[in-house]
Amino acid sequence: MALASVREALAVLVPVACVGCGLPDSAVCPACEERMAGAATRVEIEPGFPVWFGTAYTDVARRAILALKNEQRTDAAASLARVLVRALQAAVLELSELTDPPGPVALAALPSTRSAYRRRGYRPVDVVVAKTELRLEHPLAWRRQPADQIGLTVDERMDNLNGSLRPRRPVRERSFLLLDDVVTTGATLLEAKRALTAGGASVIGAAVIAATPRRVRRVTEKFSSAE
């Protein structure tokens, strides 16, 4: 996080351009902010495992997330945080309306691979959540480092990740809502759920910034963002 803070401080001194359209002097210009606005959406990546996302992984959102992850554009985190908060608000709204709502629910980040952390110097979701007043936990660690997921099929991703995560501390009888930047196949979220459940915890779902078009096409419900 120290490196991220230095980069943000430098961004004040060095001219920046909007990650969405290139407009100068703005990390994400108002027009691009508007293109990421809208209702949060809910999908299920397996029966009983809902994922809420704030926007589709296209257009400005895709460029902003990639800039944060690959170009050290931590100055885009505040805009992405607003998108993630919409997804969290939708999750909280639905959970509060359950007949038997869960008890205290902790927000759990998924771990970055060692290679990704060395390359960036920070965890993207941590940088985004730091722009909110939310408390984020890191209950998971890698049992083994998976191969790069790019280019793998759904089945290959599941095989690659299966058994790769473990709880890093006791989680028995705790409830978690997982946080991540993008849901594609859902393989990483499902492995996180498996690891926490094996440790005796309950995983009630996940909230992410964006979902790929494949996931958007499988939308089951929509929720308006809470004001």
Side-chain angles (χ1 to χ4, degrees):
M1 290 298 291
L3 285 176
S5 298
V6 170
R7 291 187 181 102
E8 288 189 9
L10 287 174
V12 176
L13 304 175
V14 180
V16 298
C18 172
V19 296
C21 67
L23 191 73
D25 301 326
S26 178
V28 182
C29 73
C32 286
E33 286 262 13
E34 182 64 25
R35 285 157 69 180
M36 290 194 293
T41 309
R42 178 190 192 273
V43 296
E44 288 195 356
I45 55 177
E46 71 172 15
F49 187 22
V51 177
W52 293 267
F53 59 94
T55 191
Y57 186 62
T58 58
D59 192 33
V60 175
R62 181 177 184 276
R63 291 196 290 273
I65 291 170
L66 289 177
L68 171 64
K69 296 175 74 171
N70 301 331
E71 301 170 20
Q72 288 72 52
R73 288 294 304 271
T74 54
D75 54 338
S79 295
L80 293 173
R82 287 187 279 275
V83 180
L84 179 60
V85 166
R86 285 205 305 270
L88 285 166
Q89 289 173 332
V92 170
L93 176 61
E94 180 176 355
L95 294 171
S96 68
E97 293 176 345
L98 294 177
T99 303
D100 185 22
V105 176
L107 302 179
L110 277 62
S112 296
T113 60
R114 283 195 292 267
S115 61
Y117 186 79
R118 284 196 301 268
R119 183 171 70 252
R120 298 177 184 130
Y122 56 87
R123 300 178 183 88
V125 171
D126 288 18
V127 175
V128 171
V129 175
K131 297 299 182 180
T132 73
E133 297 181 354
L134 301 170
R135 181 173 179 270
L136 186 63
E137 296 191 19
H138 299 81
L140 292 166
W142 294 107
R143 188 187 303 277
R144 60 173 176 80
Q145 293 290 305
D148 195 321
Q149 297 273 80
I150 296 176
L152 299 183
T153 66
V154 175
D155 289 341
E156 288 170 341
R157 286 181 179 231
M158 296 297 293
D159 290 342
N160 182 42
L161 288 165
N162 187 37
S164 62
L165 290 172
R166 62 171 177 82
R168 63 191 303 175
R169 61 177 66 91
V171 294
R172 185 171 297 280
E173 296 183 359
R174 298 194 64 198
S175 294
F176 293 97
L177 181 71
L178 304 176
L179 296 191
D180 205 1
D181 51 8
V182 180
V183 58
T184 304
T185 64
T188 308
L189 292 173
L190 289 172
E191 170 58 17
K193 178 190 176 187
R194 182 210 60 78
L196 289 170
T197 302
S202 172
V203 177
I204 60 176
V208 302
I209 299 170
T212 61
R214 174 179 179 273
R215 282 291 166 200
V216 174
R217 286 193 294 269
R218 296 178 59 187
V219 167
T220 56
E221 297 179 47
K222 282 191 175 181
F223 298 89
S224 296
S225 56
E227 294 297 333

